[in-house]
Amino acid sequence: MAEEAISEPQQSSASGSTQHFLRDVIFHGKFRALSPEESTSCCHGLFFQDGQRRVDYILTYPVRKSGGGRSSRQSDHSLTENFASRTLGQSKQVQGATTVADVEMGCLGEPLNSQEDLKTFRREEFEKNLKEMGLELEKDEEAMIPGLGFVKIHAPWNVLCREAELMKLKMPTKKVYEVKQSSNVMKKISSLVNKVLEPLHPNVEEHHSKNIKHLSHSFSREKQHLFDLSDKENFFDSKTRSSIVFEILKRTKCKTKFSMGITSLLGSGVYSAAYPLHDGAIEEESAEPNDRKLLYEEWANYSVFYKYQPIGLVRKYFGEKIGLYFAWLGLYTQMLIPASLVGVIVFLYGCATVDDNIPSMEICDPKNNITMCPLCDRVCSYWKLSTACGTARASHLFDNPATVFFSIFMALWAAMFMEHWKRRQMRLNHEWDLTGFEEEEDHPRAEYEFRVMQKSLKKEIKSPQKMEKLTCRDRFPAYMTNIVMMLLMIGVTFAIVFGVILYRISTKAALYMSSSPTTRSHIQLTVKTTAAIINLVVILILDEVYGAVARWLTVLEAPKTEKNFEERLIFKTFILKFVNAFTPIIYIAFFRGRLVGRPGRYLYVFESYRMEECSDGSCLMELCIQLSITMLGKQLIQNNLFEIGVPKLKKLIRYIRSEQGAFQEEERQKKLRRYETDHFLEPFGGLTPEYMEMIIQFGFVTLFVASFPLAPLFALLNNIIEIRLDAKKFVAELRRPVAARAKDIGIWYDILRGVAKVAVIINAFVISFTSDFIPRMVYQYMYSPDGSLHGFVNHTLSYFNVSHFEHGKETMDPMPYGYPIEVCRYKDYREPPWSLTPYEISKEFWAVLAVRLAFVIVFQNVVMLMNDIVDWLIPDIPKDISQQIHKEKILLVELFMRQEQGMINILERGGSSSIKETYRRSNNNNNSTTKEQLNGTKQF
């Protein structure tokens, strides 16, 4: 017999085995044969052997190859009895036996025959406790995957009702009400818009506007008559059933004192995996219609990239937490459309006005025979400013008056996005019946429990009921390790950036020594591009390293709950990855070209490497190159190729390790059942990586958008692919996650707000200090004789007498143009060599610096004020949602009042004592519920 039903406690006798067999074929007391449809569902692995009970959850465990079938199970059962007969309080070591520290069993040194026997004992005890909780189990140790056994779990109706009441799940009642419609004019406009946008909606029923809505209420077994229970099989959908079973698995303990449930058993290897099942196949032509297949066709498909996401169906299948992520990602992508359009317009404006830009025209004019000082010592020679014509013209595409407007626009865009998301989030909370939902305290994590057990056993607590807690003193070494490692990782990032700086300096000097004219003419472009690519490669590698380091540091802290663990992990990962991605960009934007010194008194590193300066006098173009290569590289390589290739590679490795590689793919898929097929899928690792890559992208879009107005466009193109890529990964590549309820995106919203506020400051500094916007304005309105920019280039260049070069630092080619050079120019505001204070900072420098600082202050405060105005003008809760919430609470109060009045009428006509007792309990519950509803109504 391939499968063994264990819905009742196992018996060691033959009669017990017979009872198990009969229970598999007898359902609700009736002996019956399986219908063809039930047999097909059973073979597909979605139901128990009886074809009636649905598989709500799967546990997998290793099976010893030496034994199998009934004989091995009977030996395991005898082993269980032997373990149960032992004294679990024994803590002394026995001579000649292997000592195992079993903190979960409450023993510090109990002799065991083997670790596998201990795992079998724990597994059987845990499954026995699950049956006591009301779950029904069925084993399959003869699956097609060698060395692996499966435990199928089914939650019967009474267990579902009990847990739904404990979890306070809101379920739709029989009561329906009509959603208030707008005026006739607005209704016609809305109907016209829906017809125009009809091709953009997915082919699912949910996108049609519904005028009728079911009133929802927390499920109660005493009020089952309020809910539509005509179809009990589908009243709780598969997502809800699996979440209920998972809650029981977390709560059920293998031992009363030293276990926390399924998480600790998974961590210790008692079970190898635990997961709910997908609804069915997706790619087969003959596959029965199911939500998974519908999602695959209408959501996880690149051919429908232009359509809206079926967010309601995503939430129905994966739960609210994942639904909120894709809703947020969809809204973020939609909001990128206007930002991309404005960015393209700004870029096109720069292209249209490049020929009218006076500073670039002066640089490109060969008549302006301006000789510039060498860019490096010895090997570099003097150069003409006109050779930087191409760079100057390209810089104008990103450094023009429109970029200031675009920076202000993007700051307001970020504020609008945050406000729009809050309203969208509130609307989804209402549609998904999450209003009033409060997250309950989660169960302690396995690692936390393990640390507490170790602490308790070390102190040899006499009272077995007393459990210690981890204090700050216990965590102090972990906290110190976190601080030291975080600083060390940030120091590694700075060191690598410094190494790239040395690479640019040395490479530039080496290329200047080349005898090839072609090489010498493309030195700047070669050095900039290769350095940016090196930075990209380092960023990609360190991203993976920093992610692992952040997780390791968080595990050391041993946070108590999963929520605390996730928040601390997110914070560490964000800090490390943010510093890793933006440190090279920040250096180019704010430090490069400002730590150079001046001719005759340059600054050196290690007494031989002269600090680099911007070749054409402006680092904005180099900032644009670095930003574009880093952003596009991370999106194409890390976010797309890695997400596609890595899951497929891991899936292939699991096939090979499971000794299934000899079979052809099609034959394997036909033979494997659903729970076996899902075992080969990648385990769900959480939403942190998905959010993280979008937050980093949000930083690229907002932080330095003044230097790269095309960033929103590239982000939009990436996200159109990213949505379908993530959708396909969730539907086809990952095991089905356990549905988790959530009313918001948590700590990610705070990070977004922080990035948006920092973006305002950084863009102000980029415009003020990196670009030439402020020097141009100061010259035009303070120093220009005719109020134009004619003469601006000459005004920003200082003079240097070449005879004042330090000995040994002068160029080896003093006559590159056939005549001796006496004076060269460099970009700075300094007094000429013939003045009374040669090479001292001039008054123009202080005038420009004052205006720059004033611009930063004014820009920051004005934009922040405008953001606050936007926040104040746009309410967080849409008016129609607020009215519907108010209406629903009133309707709930009326519903309970009518129920109470009906019970009173029954009592007045004369009722039995049981009816009176039912009324008394119902009346107490209704009074408390009515008070809660009235209190909630007053808030609106």
Side-chain angles (χ1 to χ4, degrees), residues 262-311:
I262 188 62
T263 52
S264 62
L265 298 179
L266 288 170
S268 59
V270 176
Y271 291 101
S272 55
Y275 52 89
L277 294 181
H278 281 291
D279 280 355
I282 51 177
E283 296 180 349
E284 298 177 6
E285 293 287 338
S286 59
E288 297 179 0
N290 55 73
D291 289 341
R292 187 189 185 196
K293 187 174 183 180
L294 186 59
L295 284 172
Y296 186 80
E297 295 173 350
E298 296 295 330
W299 182 49
N301 198 329
Y302 294 109
S303 62
V304 295
F305 71 92
Y306 59 92
K307 290 187 177 182
Y308 294 113
Q309 300 182 86
I311 295 298

Side-chain angles (χ1 to χ4, degrees), residues 563-703:
K563 182 179 180 181
N564 292 338
F565 179 87
E566 184 179 12
E567 289 181 350
R568 296 185 185 188
L569 175 62
I570 290 171
F571 178 76
K572 294 182 183 66
T573 307
F574 173 74
I575 293 296
L576 292 177
K577 291 194 174 184
F578 185 87
V579 172
N580 181 40
F582 290 100
T583 298
I585 300 173
I586 291 175
Y587 163 74
I588 294 176
F590 303 125
F591 296 99
R592 184 176 177 182
R594 292 171 177 80
L595 304 175
V596 179
R598 62 170 179 82
R601 192 176 292 176
Y602 286 114
L603 298 179
Y604 291 88
V605 180
F606 303 138
E607 299 182 356
S608 57
Y609 293 96
R610 194 179 102 185
M611 291 299 294
E612 56 184 345
E613 57 184 303
C614 303
S615 58
D616 60 341
S618 175
C619 287
L620 193 68
M621 192 60 196
E622 298 183 29
L623 174 62
C624 179
I625 293 175
Q626 178 68 59
L627 185 63
S628 59
I629 291 179
T630 303
M631 180 179 179
L632 296 178
K634 281 181 64 67
Q635 291 182 166
L636 293 177
I637 299 176
Q638 189 178 47
N639 299 353
N640 294 330
L641 295 182
F642 284 3
E643 289 189 12
I644 295 174
V646 172
K648 292 186 179 296
L649 181 61
K650 290 182 178 180
K651 185 178 180 181
L652 178 62
I653 294 175
R654 280 194 297 273
Y655 275 130
I656 296 175
R657 287 182 176 178
S658 63
E659 302 178 5
Q660 295 291 313
F663 295 97
Q664 295 296 329
E665 178 72 17
E666 296 181 359
E667 295 179 359
R668 184 189 304 115
Q669 293 297 336
K670 291 179 180 178
K671 293 180 180 180
L672 294 181
R673 285 162 288 192
R674 171 52 46 198
Y675 53 86
E676 295 170 328
T677 304
D678 287 1
H679 174 77
F680 290 110
L681 299 178
E682 180 74 10
F684 175 64
L687 290 171
T688 299
E690 313 299 334
Y691 273 113
M692 188 62 65
E693 65 181 71
M694 289 295 106
I695 296 296
I696 297 297
Q697 184 200 85
F698 183 78
F700 284 119
V701 170
T702 56
L703 291 177

Side-chain angles (χ1 to χ4, degrees), residues 106-152:
C107 328
L108 189 58
E110 183 177 356
L112 302 175
N113 294 331
S114 69
Q115 193 70 14
E116 291 299 325
D117 295 337
L118 174 60
K119 292 180 180 179
T120 302
F121 168 69
R122 290 177 179 167
R123 187 163 54 245
E124 293 193 355
E125 185 180 4
F126 181 70
E127 292 166 3
K128 177 183 176 182
N129 293 337
L130 289 180
K131 290 180 288 181
E132 291 178 355
M133 294 293 293
L135 297 178
E136 298 177 1
L137 281 66
E138 187 177 79
K139 275 188 176 180
D140 180 8
E141 290 189 352
E142 298 181 5
M144 296 194 63
I145 305 177
L148 198 65
F150 294 86
V151 178
K152 295 179 282 187

